Amino acid sequence: MGRRPVTVRLARWSAEHPWRAIALWVVFVAVCFVGGSAAGLNEATDEDQAIGEFGRAQLIVDSGGFDQPATENVLITARSGSLDQAAAKAAAQDAADRLRQVDGVASIGTPMPSRDGSALLVPITMSGDPGTAGDRVQPLRDTTAKVQDAHPQLRVEQVGGPSIDKALDDTLGKDFKRAELLSLPVTLAILIIAFGALIAAGVPVLLALSSVAAAMGLSTLASHLVPATDTTASVILLIGMAVGVDYSLFYVRREREERAKGRSGLDAVEIAAETSGHAVVVSGTAVIISMGGLLLAQDAIFSSLAVGSILVVAVAVIGSLTVLPALLAKLGRWVDRPRVPLLWRLTAPRHGQPARPRFWPAVLKPALRAPVATLLISVALLLALAAPALGMKLKFPGPEDVPRTTAAMQAYDRLTAAFPSNGTSHTVAVRAPAEQADRVRAALTDLAGRTAADPLFAPAEGDGPEIQVSADRRVSVLEVATPHASRSDEASRSLHELRDDLVPATLGGVPGVEYAVGGGVAASEDYAAHIWAKLPIVAAFVLALTFLVMAWTFRSVVVALTSIMLNLLSAGAAYGLLVLVFQSDWAEGLLGFTSMDAIVTWLPLFLFVVLFGLSMDYHVFVVSRIREAVDRGMPTREAVAHGITSSAGVVTSAAVVMVAVFSIFATLSMIDFKQLGIGLAAAILLDATIIRAVVLPSVMTLLGDANWWAPRFMRRRSPAPAVEPPPAPAPELVGTR
């Protein structure tokens, strides 16, 4: 007998030395987590995240070394009718007197009336680190509430960046807490239904959670090479739970199936390692390749996500090949305890053979009997679903997309209505030799004058434009406001008018000048252009390497090509569904969102690599079962039916877990997470149903033996080792059902 595969050797050692394997895993997880905590997190800087002209503008501003303290405002408006100016001034004075006594307030500005007299604004400058202002703003809000109590005839509100940050943090904190509280019980409940036994359901969750903990520590260490962003931990949790549960499901179900056929515990673990373990390695490699494609985006956010995802997938694969066999060997038949009576009878193998599903054979009949018609109809439906993706628009969410359930956002709407220059604005950043500072100021003043007469822009409040100049007089900054919402066409036109016309016309003649226009609108447009430019590069990398891995794994060019095409169909359909749902308003009431007539800028690239990677989990597992049957001499049509029906339970369970967890994200308040949750859940659902039960069997049945064609150099030199037929069922197995 030839040398056994490494997956089998690892599994056999772990099964023969379970306590050593479990102890080594616990030590590994602990060292990773503690080591990461001790090393500390290295976060990405503005320079790391600079993209396009927006990024250049941000770097110019940063080079000026400006003191940019956090600011707040007390907004005084009438509850109804016109504002009583005398009462408003009295309330403004009361607010100023009270706030001066609050710790964390550096200064109080002069009250500023709106142009139409409908509001009075009291500016507040906070002391301390602007980055922590949101954590320190509550005493100011409490004081403003007391002013409101003292002046009930008026509406007295506090609004500003720290207040909005505080409100959003509270909202998101509640959202994530609810999601965390729901996701674990939902996952456990689905696994209990799938296994009919509590311990078997707990093993996948245990592996997933330990993999996430180890990857968190490793990603913290890795952040000193690739700086991390604040989204890395969330993605590690999301991907880690998905693949950790999947890989364990594949392995445990196969080991359980072989044990039910009468094999010894060690033999069952070995066969599970040789079959499902091999599929886990291939699937993990495909996911790692997909996530590695994000590194080609040359973007600090995507690089951080790539590193975190690669680490958690690699750890989950290692755990599946080492500690999982040890746990299964040590637990033995206890893995099927305690049993849930009704569920156990529905899911457990009977008479030494695995329970055969009745639903999936019925679903497969059209694909097996009329593969051409089934393939044409199903592909046409998927392409029709994908078609709306051709009209996809990318934008960042703006303040208008934040839920209006908080007092801070309601106050923000009233602030921007009365003082338009406090809403959407463009940042004109200029760097020039110090001796040109006066010419730069004159040019920026001219620019402000030109925008004041243009309806695309909002005139400056107060005495005129406020131009910030650095201490060395080399950097100057002007904020140019627009009265239009950040995602509107008018806001976009105002940006292009500045970049293409007004700024070059006023600043272009200054010797040695360097300028850029940034701001929220610029960030959205520049990042969208960046994504569209990088998506083809990332996609080509992922497709090419995935093709090579699949071709070499299955020794078939045809299987590799069909795998790529099916996953592209799945991703395209998910894109189309996203556009249908979120670029129109028909689903607003159903999902609780306001349409932004666009998809969040970063989502298409991230969705592509995640979906391509996760879809390979099911595809590799199903095709592996089909290949096993073919290698045992079964005709392709029968092998397809056998492979899909025999894997139906585990794949369906894994898909239901992922769809359920991803759907929880669709209940969160922010539009980013709603789109992410719907996109992931829809793609997994499509992949686990239409792709797996209709398109895949149609294609493989139609191709027949051609499925396994490969050039001579790729063909196996000797027949693949087939899984030996099981011994007769042990008497105790037959009698225990």
Side-chain angles (χ1 to χ4, degrees), residues 25 28 32 207-220 222 232-245 247 280 284-285 287-288 291 304-320 606 610 614:
W25 179 255
F28 169 71
C32 291
L207 176 67
L209 290 175
S210 62
S211 299
V212 167
M216 288 283 192
L218 290 173
S219 69
T220 303
T232 306
S234 299
V235 170
I236 288 176
L237 180 61
L238 182 74
I239 301 297
M241 290 301 295
V243 300
V245 168
Y247 297 164
V280 164
T285 303
V287 178
I288 288 172
M291 294 303 175
S304 174
L305 298 183
V307 170
S309 301
I310 288 170
L311 288 172
V312 76
V313 172
V315 171
V317 169
I318 293 170
S320 300
F606 182 70
V610 171
L614 295 183

Side-chain angles (χ1 to χ4, degrees), residues 153-300:
Q153 75 279 18
L154 300 170
R155 183 187 286 112
V156 182
E157 305 171 285
Q158 186 170 320
V159 59
S163 291
I164 293 173
D165 288 345
K166 170 69 173 172
L168 290 180
D169 287 345
D170 290 345
T171 300
L172 289 175
K174 292 176 183 176
D175 278 353
F176 281 120
K177 187 174 182 180
R178 183 177 73 249
E180 290 169 0
L181 289 175
L182 284 173
S183 60
L184 194 57
V186 166
T187 301
L188 274 172
I190 294 169
L191 291 174
I192 289 171
I193 293 172
F195 285 112
L198 299 184
I199 293 178
V203 168
V205 175
L206 183 64
L207 176 67
L209 290 175
S210 62
S211 299
V212 167
M216 288 283 192
L218 290 173
S219 69
T220 303
L221 291 169
S223 71
H224 294 275
L225 296 175
V226 179
T229 62
D230 54 5
T231 56
T232 306
S234 299
V235 170
I236 288 176
L237 180 61
L238 182 74
I239 301 297
M241 290 301 295
V243 300
V245 168
D246 271 12
Y247 297 164
S248 300
L249 264 172
F250 297 163
Y251 208 110
V252 174
R253 285 293 288 262
R254 186 58 184 261
E255 187 269 350
R256 197 180 183 217
E257 179 183 322
E258 295 300 327
R259 201 161 28 82
K261 293 176 181 177
R263 298 186 189 280
S264 67
L266 187 58
D267 286 343
V269 167
E270 281 197 352
I271 293 173
E274 187 171 4
T275 54
S276 294
H278 176 71
V280 164
V281 172
V282 176
S283 173
T285 303
V287 178
I288 288 172
I289 287 172
S290 294
M291 294 303 175
L294 288 176
L295 295 170
L296 298 179
Q298 297 178 328
D299 180 325

Side-chain angles (χ1 to χ4, degrees), residues 543-609:
L543 294 175
L545 285 193
T546 302
F547 172 82
L548 293 176
V549 169
M550 295 295 289
W552 191 256
T553 298
F554 292 103
R555 295 296 197 273
S556 168
V557 171
V558 177
V559 165
L561 283 174
T562 54
S563 301
I564 296 294
M565 296 307 298
L566 295 188
N567 278 322
L568 284 176
L569 268 178
S570 176
Y575 282 170
L577 189 62
L578 269 181
V579 172
L580 282 175
V581 172
F582 290 102
Q583 281 190 201
S584 54
D585 56 10
W586 65 270
E588 288 181 336
L590 181 65
L591 296 175
F593 71 96
T594 300
S595 175
M596 57 183 285
D597 192 34
I599 303 303
V600 176
T601 311
W602 54 268
L603 203 56
L605 182 56
F606 182 70
L607 270 181
F608 179 82
V609 297

Side-chain angles (χ1 to χ4, degrees), residues 7 24 39 89 91 182 220 261 308 333 336 353 371 452 458 465 485 577 675:
T7 57
L24 286 172
K89 289 179 181 178
L182 284 173
T220 303
K261 293 176 181 177
R333 297 188 181 279
D336 292 330
Q353 293 296 324
L577 189 62
Q675 292 189 4

